[in-house]
Amino acid sequence: MKIEDIKLRIIADSKGKDTLEAEMESGGIRVVASVPAGESTGKNEAKVIAPRAALEKVSWLTTQLKDHDFAELSQFDGLLNTLDGTLDKSNLGANLILSLSLCFTKLLANISGLQTWELISRISGQKPSLPLCLFNVIEGGVHIPHHSVQDSAPNLPFQEYWFIPQTHSPREALDRCLALLKVLEKKIAAEYGKVQMGAEGGFTVPSKNAEDGLKILKEVMEELGEEANLGLDVAASTFFKDGKYILGEKVMDANGLLSYYRLLTTNPSTALGAGYQLFSIEDPFAETDWTGFTNITKELGSNIWIVGDDLTTTNPAMIKKAKELNAVNSVIIKTTQIGTVSETIQAANLAKNYGWKIIVANRGEETMDNFIADLAVGIGADGLKSGCPLQKERLVKYERLIEIEGTWQN
Ligand code: PGA
Ligand code: ZN
């Protein structure tokens, strides 16, 4: 496939910040892709450059790419990496590289007469499947608005509270989530007075007690007779300072935090604690606290998905390290963390070979691009985490899953 034209422009993401949208043309077919950005990024993520700086690089890059006839995605991504020449993509920028890699994937699928998820399934060698939907319905941490040291409004220390219907029908999952959100909004208004939204469109709960997010969800679910599971993205690096975890008014060491998770997850019948019967916990410890991860996986990992995100950053080297240390049993997969589609697929395949659960995820600042739904289906991911469906940039990914569900042949 020869690339005939590339256009790059700056668009506004869900937070109104600048991000990149690329357009690529070949054989009269034109595709568009845009890249999201993280707000609680892991240290080992590929590096992005300012969107304006990317605009300056694109004409040189286009000239380099136009000389080639690409048979495969790995060849295209490989050339981008060679032209970048760094390990962390800091020269051309992971955002610029990814915008082109996404376009190339969509274009190759289109030209081959395949859906994007079908092409990804062929490349990954994985059987396609519809993932569980992990809806981020309550937000805290660095994802709440006006988060700053001056801001004295209370804020849940955990970043995300997920509602997880145990169904592989995204249509049913979305309906159940929307029904839950209606009641949840009323309940937050009744208990706390005002209802605000976080970065991903989920509600905020003005409390410093991490457990309050789980409590209110449990109450709403009981009211609705809803039997879905709950999950958390703790994003613990965001409240780890000088060896201590600062959880609202509670300050604890790693052992204290592990005891706290034990309390939150314990089955109520043992009368040891609240027992929210959590299905999954993402980044329960700071990304430097490997011992914390290993201990929780050993203790709770047989029942709960212990998920690496900032810890593993969709990076094969970090995923291997996590395997050696038995630090997780599940992993977040984000295209932006590694910067090309082929490397994203490689990272997912590696984790899958370890028998881990795979969750494809959106970023704190999103666009209307729905690529990650196809990615989740094509690599046979166990979950798709795309924020709260009340925000349109999040909803389009769930809607794409529903569209795929409608054409499902199996
Ligand atoms: P992000 O956080 O803001 O870095 O995208 C989302 C997450 O931690 O999963
Ligand atoms: Zn995370």
Side-chain angles (χ1 to χ4, degrees):
M1 185 174 91
K2 280 206 153 211
I3 292 165
E4 285 147 25
D5 189 32
I6 292 175
K7 286 200 171 63
L8 191 71
R9 53 186 164 258
I10 293 176
I11 58 164
D13 67 21
S14 53
K15 274 215 144 175
K17 291 195 190 162
D18 285 354
T19 193
L20 293 176
E21 180 177 83
E23 213 176 290
M24 193 181 276
E25 188 179 331
S26 178
I29 296 172
R30 191 166 271 273
V31 295
V32 177
S34 53
V35 290
E39 292 187 328
S40 59
T41 49
K43 278 201 207 54
N44 292 306
E45 293 195 22
K47 301 290 175 284
V48 296
I49 60 170
R52 296 215 165 270
L55 291 188
E56 285 164 23
K57 292 177 192 266
V58 77
S59 66
W60 171 79
L61 195 50
T62 305
T63 321
Q64 304 296 313
L65 297 172
K66 272 184 171 171
D67 288 343
H68 295 263
D69 192 1
F70 299 101
E72 286 173 24
L73 174 66
S74 59
Q75 201 187 346
F76 179 79
D77 287 347
L79 179 60
L80 285 175
N81 279 335
T82 307
L83 293 169
D84 172 73
T86 68
L87 284 177
D88 58 6
K89 302 188 171 61
S90 52
N91 183 13
L92 292 174
N95 44 347
L96 172 57
I97 291 176
L98 181 63
S99 70
L100 301 180
S101 179
L102 290 170
C103 274
F104 186 90
T105 310
K106 292 182 186 189
L107 203 48
L108 187 59
N110 206 315
I111 284 172
S112 315
L114 297 170
Q115 292 287 314
T116 304
W117 61 265
E118 287 177 302
L119 175 72
I120 291 171
S121 163
R122 287 190 191 184
I123 294 171
S124 66
Q126 301 292 346
K127 188 174 182 296
S129 61
L130 287 166
L132 294 178
C133 293
L134 281 46
F135 299 105
N136 179 10
V137 290
I138 292 181
E139 299 189 59
V142 299
H143 277 192
I144 65 144
H146 319 301
H147 181 89
S148 75
V149 272
Q150 285 88 18
D151 186 3
S152 57
N155 170 26
L156 292 171
F158 291 169
Q159 184 174 287
E160 301 173 9
Y161 294 74
W162 308 336
F163 172 69
I164 316 170
Q166 294 294 322
T167 170
H168 287 270
S169 161
R171 172 77 274 164
E172 183 198 330
L174 182 62
D175 286 347
R176 282 165 66 181
C177 182
L178 293 173
L180 174 107
L181 286 165
K182 260 191 204 147
V183 183
L184 181 60
E185 183 174 13
K186 284 198 192 112
K187 200 153 202 102
I188 293 174
E191 280 186 33
Y192 297 96
K194 63 174 179 183
V195 184
Q196 272 189 299
M197 276 174 172
E200 300 192 1
F203 300 128
T204 65
V205 169
S207 160
K208 286 186 180 169
N209 183 353
E211 204 178 332
D212 283 345
L214 292 169
K215 258 191 200 143
I216 200 161
L217 276 174
K218 197 175 171 184
E219 281 167 24
V220 171
M221 282 166 54
E222 274 170 11
E223 213 174 298
L224 288 169
E226 172 55 78
E227 291 190 333
N229 285 97
L230 296 179
L232 291 170
D233 181 2
V234 173
S237 296
T238 60
F239 56 82
F240 184 63
K241 296 209 173 58
D242 304 326
K244 297 275 180 212
Y245 291 95
I246 303 158
L247 230 85
E249 270 145 14
K250 299 187 178 89
V251 179
M252 43 185 103
D253 62 12
N255 284 334
L257 188 56
L258 180 56
S259 303
Y260 188 56
Y261 292 130
R262 202 176 289 137
L263 186 81
L264 295 179
T265 55
T266 306
N267 190 307
S269 63
T270 64
L272 279 174
Y276 295 100
Q277 292 165 293
L278 291 172
F279 183 78
S280 54
I281 310 179
E282 178 180 335
D283 283 340
F285 292 91
E287 63 184 274
T288 48
D289 189 352
W290 290 86
T291 314
F293 272 92
T294 301
N295 288 343
I296 192 172
T297 300
K298 191 167 170 198
E299 188 174 328
L300 302 175
S302 51
N303 301 317
I304 298 177
W305 296 5
I306 305 295
V307 189
D309 172 20
D310 294 342
L311 185 80
T312 37
T313 57
T314 317
N315 182 320
M318 303 312 290
I319 291 172
K320 273 185 198 144
K321 181 172 175 186
K323 172 65 184 167
E324 275 159 28
L325 297 174
N326 282 323
V328 295
N329 60 21
S330 310
V331 75
I332 289 287
I333 294 293
K334 292 173 172 168
T335 51
T336 37
Q337 286 180 325
I338 189 78
T340 62
V341 176
S342 17
E343 287 165 289
T344 304
I345 294 170
Q346 278 162 21
N349 272 351
L350 179 64
K352 239 186 156 129
N353 283 340
Y354 294 153
W356 294 358
K357 301 292 179 193
I358 310 288
I359 302 168
V360 171
N362 73 165
R363 300 299 317 235
E365 294 160 18
E366 264 297 334
T367 73
M368 292 295 282
D369 196 308
N370 61 13
F371 176 83
I372 60 168
D374 284 78
L375 177 67
V377 172
I379 62 172
D382 301 279
L384 175 72
K385 166 174 105 133
S386 175
C388 182
L390 296 180
Q391 192 181 84
K392 65 181 187 312
E393 287 86 352
R394 320 287 162 178
L395 177 64
V396 289
K397 280 79 159 169
Y398 297 122
E399 282 180 331
R400 173 65 181 148
L401 282 187
I402 292 169
E403 191 182 8
I404 297 170
E405 181 184 20
T407 61
W408 210 239
Q409 300 296 316
N410 294 345

PDB file of all heavy atoms in Angstrom, residues 37-41 143 159-160 200 233 282 309 334 362-364 385, ligand 1:
ATOM      1  N   ALA A  37      -5.099  11.772  25.307  1.00  0.00           N
ATOM      2  CA  ALA A  37      -3.946  12.052  26.176  1.00  0.00           C
ATOM      3  C   ALA A  37      -4.262  11.664  27.605  1.00  0.00           C
ATOM      4  O   ALA A  37      -5.420  11.681  28.031  1.00  0.00           O
ATOM      5  CB  ALA A  37      -3.607  13.537  26.112  1.00  0.00           C
ATOM      6  N   GLY A  38      -3.214  11.335  28.369  1.00  0.00           N
ATOM      7  CA  GLY A  38      -3.400  10.906  29.756  1.00  0.00           C
ATOM      8  C   GLY A  38      -3.266  12.061  30.734  1.00  0.00           C
ATOM      9  O   GLY A  38      -2.601  13.048  30.455  1.00  0.00           O
ATOM     10  N   GLU A  39      -3.921  11.895  31.884  1.00  0.00           N
ATOM     11  CA  GLU A  39      -3.785  12.891  32.965  1.00  0.00           C
ATOM     12  C   GLU A  39      -3.028  12.309  34.158  1.00  0.00           C
ATOM     13  O   GLU A  39      -2.461  13.044  34.950  1.00  0.00           O
ATOM     14  CB  GLU A  39      -5.168  13.347  33.427  1.00  0.00           C
ATOM     15  CG  GLU A  39      -5.874  14.148  32.359  1.00  0.00           C
ATOM     16  CD  GLU A  39      -7.176  14.741  32.856  1.00  0.00           C
ATOM     17  OE1 GLU A  39      -7.835  14.128  33.701  1.00  0.00           O
ATOM     18  OE2 GLU A  39      -7.519  15.832  32.388  1.00  0.00           O
ATOM     19  N   SER A  40      -3.083  10.987  34.296  1.00  0.00           N
ATOM     20  CA  SER A  40      -2.285  10.347  35.351  1.00  0.00           C
ATOM     21  C   SER A  40      -1.367   9.348  34.658  1.00  0.00           C
ATOM     22  O   SER A  40      -1.572   8.152  34.707  1.00  0.00           O
ATOM     23  CB  SER A  40      -3.188   9.664  36.382  1.00  0.00           C
ATOM     24  OG  SER A  40      -4.013   8.690  35.779  1.00  0.00           O
ATOM     25  N   THR A  41      -0.363   9.873  33.993  1.00  0.00           N
ATOM     26  CA  THR A  41       0.478   9.044  33.136  1.00  0.00           C
ATOM     27  C   THR A  41       1.551   8.307  33.938  1.00  0.00           C
ATOM     28  O   THR A  41       2.070   8.839  34.923  1.00  0.00           O
ATOM     29  CB  THR A  41       1.183   9.913  32.072  1.00  0.00           C
ATOM     30  OG1 THR A  41       1.765  11.020  32.743  1.00  0.00           O
ATOM     31  CG2 THR A  41       0.217  10.440  31.043  1.00  0.00           C
ATOM     32  N   HIS A 143      -8.737  13.228  38.387  1.00  0.00           N
ATOM     33  CA  HIS A 143      -9.723  13.368  37.303  1.00  0.00           C
ATOM     34  C   HIS A 143     -10.899  14.286  37.639  1.00  0.00           C
ATOM     35  O   HIS A 143     -11.813  14.439  36.854  1.00  0.00           O
ATOM     36  CB  HIS A 143     -10.256  11.998  36.880  1.00  0.00           C
ATOM     37  CG  HIS A 143      -9.343  11.312  35.905  1.00  0.00           C
ATOM     38  ND1 HIS A 143      -9.703  10.211  35.199  1.00  0.00           N
ATOM     39  CD2 HIS A 143      -8.079  11.590  35.512  1.00  0.00           C
ATOM     40  CE1 HIS A 143      -8.699   9.818  34.422  1.00  0.00           C
ATOM     41  NE2 HIS A 143      -7.712  10.641  34.614  1.00  0.00           N
ATOM     42  N   GLN A 159      -9.278   7.101  41.859  1.00  0.00           N
ATOM     43  CA  GLN A 159      -9.560   7.801  40.588  1.00  0.00           C
ATOM     44  C   GLN A 159     -10.850   7.355  39.893  1.00  0.00           C
ATOM     45  O   GLN A 159     -11.569   8.167  39.321  1.00  0.00           O
ATOM     46  CB  GLN A 159      -8.365   7.600  39.650  1.00  0.00           C
ATOM     47  CG  GLN A 159      -8.455   8.328  38.341  1.00  0.00           C
ATOM     48  CD  GLN A 159      -7.162   8.196  37.540  1.00  0.00           C
ATOM     49  OE1 GLN A 159      -6.157   8.812  37.876  1.00  0.00           O
ATOM     50  NE2 GLN A 159      -7.169   7.373  36.506  1.00  0.00           N
ATOM     51  N   GLU A 160     -11.134   6.043  39.909  1.00  0.00           N
ATOM     52  CA  GLU A 160     -12.293   5.541  39.139  1.00  0.00           C
ATOM     53  C   GLU A 160     -13.015   4.435  39.888  1.00  0.00           C
ATOM     54  O   GLU A 160     -12.377   3.551  40.460  1.00  0.00           O
ATOM     55  CB  GLU A 160     -11.816   4.962  37.788  1.00  0.00           C
ATOM     56  CG  GLU A 160     -11.095   5.967  36.926  1.00  0.00           C
ATOM     57  CD  GLU A 160     -10.489   5.341  35.665  1.00  0.00           C
ATOM     58  OE1 GLU A 160     -10.774   4.156  35.366  1.00  0.00           O
ATOM     59  OE2 GLU A 160      -9.710   6.036  35.001  1.00  0.00           O
ATOM     60  N   GLU A 200     -13.960  12.037  32.821  1.00  0.00           N
ATOM     61  CA  GLU A 200     -14.490  11.010  31.913  1.00  0.00           C
ATOM     62  C   GLU A 200     -16.012  10.947  31.923  1.00  0.00           C
ATOM     63  O   GLU A 200     -16.608   9.973  31.480  1.00  0.00           O
ATOM     64  CB  GLU A 200     -13.879   9.649  32.256  1.00  0.00           C
ATOM     65  CG  GLU A 200     -12.357   9.661  32.128  1.00  0.00           C
ATOM     66  CD  GLU A 200     -11.723   8.277  32.182  1.00  0.00           C
ATOM     67  OE1 GLU A 200     -12.460   7.280  32.304  1.00  0.00           O
ATOM     68  OE2 GLU A 200     -10.488   8.206  32.092  1.00  0.00           O
ATOM     69  N   ASP A 233     -10.143   1.840  39.740  1.00  0.00           N
ATOM     70  CA  ASP A 233      -8.793   2.246  39.357  1.00  0.00           C
ATOM     71  C   ASP A 233      -8.334   3.196  40.451  1.00  0.00           C
ATOM     72  O   ASP A 233      -8.783   4.340  40.535  1.00  0.00           O
ATOM     73  CB  ASP A 233      -8.760   2.953  37.991  1.00  0.00           C
ATOM     74  CG  ASP A 233      -7.331   3.343  37.602  1.00  0.00           C
ATOM     75  OD1 ASP A 233      -6.394   3.031  38.380  1.00  0.00           O
ATOM     76  OD2 ASP A 233      -7.145   3.943  36.532  1.00  0.00           O
ATOM     77  N   GLU A 282      -7.295  -1.758  39.836  1.00  0.00           N
ATOM     78  CA  GLU A 282      -6.202  -1.305  38.966  1.00  0.00           C
ATOM     79  C   GLU A 282      -5.246  -0.409  39.754  1.00  0.00           C
ATOM     80  O   GLU A 282      -5.692   0.406  40.564  1.00  0.00           O
ATOM     81  CB  GLU A 282      -6.821  -0.535  37.787  1.00  0.00           C
ATOM     82  CG  GLU A 282      -5.806   0.047  36.813  1.00  0.00           C
ATOM     83  CD  GLU A 282      -6.517   0.790  35.665  1.00  0.00           C
ATOM     84  OE1 GLU A 282      -7.683   0.474  35.349  1.00  0.00           O
ATOM     85  OE2 GLU A 282      -5.889   1.697  35.093  1.00  0.00           O
ATOM     86  N   ASP A 309      -1.451  -0.643  35.219  1.00  0.00           N
ATOM     87  CA  ASP A 309      -1.623   0.396  34.196  1.00  0.00           C
ATOM     88  C   ASP A 309      -0.377   1.283  34.211  1.00  0.00           C
ATOM     89  O   ASP A 309       0.531   1.099  33.391  1.00  0.00           O
ATOM     90  CB  ASP A 309      -2.897   1.208  34.478  1.00  0.00           C
ATOM     91  CG  ASP A 309      -3.024   2.422  33.553  1.00  0.00           C
ATOM     92  OD1 ASP A 309      -2.376   2.445  32.494  1.00  0.00           O
ATOM     93  OD2 ASP A 309      -3.765   3.367  33.892  1.00  0.00           O
ATOM     94  N   LYS A 334      -3.161   0.455  26.432  1.00  0.00           N
ATOM     95  CA  LYS A 334      -3.465   1.783  25.887  1.00  0.00           C
ATOM     96  C   LYS A 334      -2.498   2.074  24.750  1.00  0.00           C
ATOM     97  O   LYS A 334      -1.278   2.047  24.961  1.00  0.00           O
ATOM     98  CB  LYS A 334      -3.268   2.858  26.964  1.00  0.00           C
ATOM     99  CG  LYS A 334      -4.256   2.839  28.109  1.00  0.00           C
ATOM    100  CD  LYS A 334      -3.824   3.847  29.184  1.00  0.00           C
ATOM    101  CE  LYS A 334      -4.872   4.009  30.264  1.00  0.00           C
ATOM    102  NZ  LYS A 334      -4.324   4.749  31.440  1.00  0.00           N
ATOM    103  N   ASN A 362      -9.428   3.726  27.524  1.00  0.00           N
ATOM    104  CA  ASN A 362      -9.357   5.102  27.011  1.00  0.00           C
ATOM    105  C   ASN A 362      -8.414   5.924  27.890  1.00  0.00           C
ATOM    106  O   ASN A 362      -7.796   5.406  28.831  1.00  0.00           O
ATOM    107  CB  ASN A 362     -10.758   5.714  26.929  1.00  0.00           C
ATOM    108  CG  ASN A 362     -11.364   6.079  28.286  1.00  0.00           C
ATOM    109  OD1 ASN A 362     -12.334   6.820  28.353  1.00  0.00           O
ATOM    110  ND2 ASN A 362     -10.835   5.591  29.408  1.00  0.00           N
ATOM    111  N   ARG A 363      -8.295   7.217  27.592  1.00  0.00           N
ATOM    112  CA  ARG A 363      -7.451   8.106  28.396  1.00  0.00           C
ATOM    113  C   ARG A 363      -8.294   9.193  29.054  1.00  0.00           C
ATOM    114  O   ARG A 363      -9.443   9.424  28.665  1.00  0.00           O
ATOM    115  CB  ARG A 363      -6.380   8.789  27.534  1.00  0.00           C
ATOM    116  CG  ARG A 363      -5.417   7.908  26.810  1.00  0.00           C
ATOM    117  CD  ARG A 363      -4.547   6.999  27.637  1.00  0.00           C
ATOM    118  NE  ARG A 363      -3.928   7.492  28.828  1.00  0.00           N
ATOM    119  CZ  ARG A 363      -2.624   7.458  29.097  1.00  0.00           C
ATOM    120  NH1 ARG A 363      -1.785   7.006  28.191  1.00  0.00           N
ATOM    121  NH2 ARG A 363      -2.156   7.865  30.266  1.00  0.00           N
ATOM    122  N   GLY A 364      -7.695   9.880  29.999  1.00  0.00           N
ATOM    123  CA  GLY A 364      -8.405  10.945  30.716  1.00  0.00           C
ATOM    124  C   GLY A 364      -8.950  12.018  29.781  1.00  0.00           C
ATOM    125  O   GLY A 364     -10.019  12.572  30.002  1.00  0.00           O
ATOM    126  N   LYS A 385     -12.584  -0.437  28.879  1.00  0.00           N
ATOM    127  CA  LYS A 385     -12.850   0.616  29.860  1.00  0.00           C
ATOM    128  C   LYS A 385     -12.822   1.935  29.112  1.00  0.00           C
ATOM    129  O   LYS A 385     -11.770   2.367  28.656  1.00  0.00           O
ATOM    130  CB  LYS A 385     -11.751   0.528  30.925  1.00  0.00           C
ATOM    131  CG  LYS A 385     -11.654   1.708  31.843  1.00  0.00           C
ATOM    132  CD  LYS A 385     -10.635   1.451  32.936  1.00  0.00           C
ATOM    133  CE  LYS A 385      -9.353   2.205  32.699  1.00  0.00           C
ATOM    134  NZ  LYS A 385      -8.824   2.926  33.845  1.00  0.00           N
TER     135      LYS A 385
HETATM  136  P1  PGA B   1      -5.138   8.841  32.297  1.00  0.00           P
HETATM  137  O1  PGA B   1      -5.780   7.878  33.369  1.00  0.00           O
HETATM  138  O2  PGA B   1      -5.626  10.185  32.718  1.00  0.00           O
HETATM  139  O3  PGA B   1      -3.648   8.710  32.468  1.00  0.00           O
HETATM  140  O4  PGA B   1      -5.571   8.463  30.951  1.00  0.00           O
HETATM  141  C1  PGA B   1      -6.658   6.862  33.061  1.00  0.00           C
HETATM  142  C2  PGA B   1      -6.242   5.656  33.838  1.00  0.00           C
HETATM  143  O5  PGA B   1      -5.446   5.781  34.785  1.00  0.00           O
HETATM  144  O6  PGA B   1      -6.653   4.541  33.507  1.00  0.00           O
END
